[in-house]
């Protein structure tokens, strides 16, 4: 509020700079002269203050414009830095959306490889146990599996037929010649020989079967171990990629924070410029 009054031949103006409006008044013997004086004072004040304020605004605008351009350059540099992280890492999806949890394909692959390794380790343990069992069975009794192979072996089938024929022949000769006859003894020797051959053949089949089963188990163990080694190589590779991903994310978040700060700063400066204009 600026108040002006004429005291003698002097004009007094009181200024309250916290006010939002200005009141100018004076007391004079001539109303027309009072109005002319007040109007002239207002014109002089507006001209003085208007020029001063325009200069102040222009100066502020110039400084804010310079600041805006500087922050814009920083923002552009921050955007380029984000792009550089994406390019250097070879990853296009390293951004983490707030409030939404998801696992990167690299992490999912690492988890899958570790699960495969765990399952394979169990298979290897089982294969090693099977081998130990087969080693013990090599010196043990004939199993049902070996008995089945014995029964279906062509040589054993032929010997069984020969044995049945010889035993039938022996029965007839015993009835005809008696136990001490030479022909009966020859037939009995043939039967004993056939039985011996069957025992030898049965032992051969059992040994072959045991060795084949043991070899199969050992071969399977080798394959499983090779697969495990390959999975370990792939797991280490995936683990290294995950470390790169974590590092890229840290770098990306740092640059993203700078980008967001510069963007907020730029918006604030633009708002100030708009108000001044």
């Amino acid at each position: 509020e600026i108040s002006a009054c004429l005291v003698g031949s002097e004009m007094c103006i009181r200024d309250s700079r916290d006010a939002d409006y200005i009141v100018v008044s004076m007391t004079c013997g001539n109303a027309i002269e009072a109005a002319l004086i007040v109007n002239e004072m207002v014109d002089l004040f507006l001209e003085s203050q208007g020029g001063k304020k325009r200069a102040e605004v222009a100066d502020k605008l110039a400084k804010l414009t310079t600041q805006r351009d500087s922050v814009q350059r920083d923002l552009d540099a921050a955007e380029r830095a984000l792009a550089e992280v994406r390019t250097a890492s070879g990853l296009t999806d390293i951004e983490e959306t707030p409030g939404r949890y998801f696992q990167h394909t690299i992490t999912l692959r690492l988890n899958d490889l570790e699960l495969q390794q765990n399952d394979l380790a169990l298979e290897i343990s089982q294969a090693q146990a099977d081998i130990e069992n087969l080693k013990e069975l090599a010196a043990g009794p004939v199993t049902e599996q070996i008995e089945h192979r014995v029964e279906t072996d062509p040589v054993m089938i032929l010997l069984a037929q020969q044995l049945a024929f010889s035993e039938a022949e022996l029965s007839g000769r015993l009835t005809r010649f008696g136990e001490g006859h030479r022909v009966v003894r020859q037939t009995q020797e043939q039967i004993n020989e056939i039985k011996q051959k069957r025992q030898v053949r049965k032992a051969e089949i059992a040994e072959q079967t045991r060795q084949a089963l043991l070899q199969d188990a050992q071969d399977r163990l080798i394959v499983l171990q090779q697969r495990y080694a390959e999975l370990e190589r792939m797991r280490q590779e995936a683990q290294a990629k995950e470390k790169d991903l974590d590092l890229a994310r840290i770098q990306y978040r740092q640059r993203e924070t700078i980008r967001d700060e510069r963007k907020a700063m730029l918006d604030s400066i633009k708002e100030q410029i708009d108000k001044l204009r």
Side-chain angles (χ1 to χ4, degrees):
E1 180 181 352
I2 297 179
S3 298
C5 61
L6 183 64
V7 181
S9 60
E10 296 181 354
M11 174 69 73
C12 295
I13 300 176
R14 293 187 298 276
D15 185 2
S16 177
R17 297 190 181 277
D18 293 332
D20 293 330
Y21 59 92
I22 297 173
V23 177
V24 180
S25 63
M26 70 172 290
T27 303
C28 183
N30 190 315
I32 295 176
E33 289 182 355
L36 290 173
I37 293 170
V38 168
N39 288 337
E40 182 66 19
M41 290 298 298
V42 170
D43 289 341
L44 290 172
F45 172 77
L46 290 177
E47 182 179 356
S48 172
Q49 294 300 313
K52 180 180 179 182
K53 291 300 181 183
R54 280 192 295 271
E56 290 177 359
V57 169
D59 182 61
K60 289 181 179 180
L61 280 173
K63 291 179 179 179
L64 286 172
T65 300
T66 300
Q67 188 178 4
R68 180 200 61 190
D69 295 342
S70 175
V71 173
Q72 182 65 59
R73 287 192 295 271
D74 291 344
L75 178 59
D76 294 340
E79 292 287 1
R80 287 194 300 272
L82 289 173
E84 288 172 359
V85 172
R86 288 192 293 267
T87 301
S89 64
L91 303 170
T92 58
D93 52 350
I94 58 177
E95 295 90 347
E96 295 180 306
T97 304
R100 186 171 70 90
Y101 174 77
F102 75 98
Q103 287 186 314
H104 195 276
T105 52
I106 291 176
T107 303
L108 292 174
R109 176 167 174 75
L110 178 60
N111 293 340
D112 181 62
L113 289 171
E114 289 177 345
L115 288 175
Q116 290 186 52
Q117 263 195 317
N118 292 337
D119 293 341
L120 199 57
L122 294 176
E123 289 189 52
I124 289 174
S125 297
Q126 184 60 52
Q128 291 172 336
D130 291 343
I131 289 174
E132 293 303 317
N133 290 334
L134 289 170
K135 287 180 178 179
E136 292 178 3
L137 289 174
V142 175
T143 62
E144 292 183 2
Q145 186 176 16
I146 295 176
E147 285 286 2
H148 176 71
R149 292 199 178 188
V150 168
E151 292 174 0
T152 56
D153 180 65
V155 175
M156 290 295 290
I157 293 174
L158 178 61
L159 290 172
Q161 292 172 350
Q162 292 176 358
L163 181 61
F165 176 78
S166 297
E167 287 177 343
E169 192 176 49
L170 176 64
S171 178
R173 289 178 177 178
L174 279 171
T175 304
R176 182 178 179 183
F177 301 109
E179 292 185 2
H181 196 277
R182 178 178 56 82
V183 175
V184 173
R185 291 198 301 270
Q186 289 177 348
T187 304
Q188 186 63 57
E189 290 174 358
Q190 289 177 355
I191 291 173
N192 293 336
E193 185 180 349
I194 292 172
K195 288 182 177 180
Q196 182 65 30
K197 288 180 179 179
R198 280 177 58 83
Q199 290 297 326
V200 172
R201 180 59 182 168
K202 184 176 182 178
E204 290 177 353
I205 294 173
E207 181 63 19
Q208 290 173 0
T209 303
R210 289 163 175 164
Q211 291 301 322
L213 291 174
L214 180 59
Q215 187 61 50
D216 289 344
Q218 290 173 336
D219 291 343
R220 181 171 179 273
L221 177 60
I222 291 173
V223 172
L224 292 175
Q225 289 173 334
Q226 290 174 343
R227 175 60 179 161
Y228 188 89
E230 176 64 15
L231 283 175
E232 176 61 19
R233 182 192 66 78
M234 295 167 66
R235 188 194 67 80
Q236 290 180 1
E237 183 179 289
Q239 194 174 48
K241 287 184 178 180
E242 187 180 47
K243 289 181 180 179
D244 292 340
L245 172 64
D246 292 340
L247 178 60
R249 278 178 169 169
I250 292 173
Q251 294 175 341
Y252 195 89
R253 282 195 294 268
Q254 291 173 342
R255 287 158 175 76
E256 195 174 38
T257 299
I258 296 174
R259 190 273 310 273
D260 293 343
E261 289 175 351
R262 296 299 184 273
K263 191 173 182 180
M265 189 181 299
L266 183 63
D267 291 340
S268 176
I269 293 172
K270 288 180 177 179
E271 184 179 355
Q272 295 179 58
I273 289 176
D274 289 339
K275 286 182 180 180
L276 286 172
R277 283 176 176 171

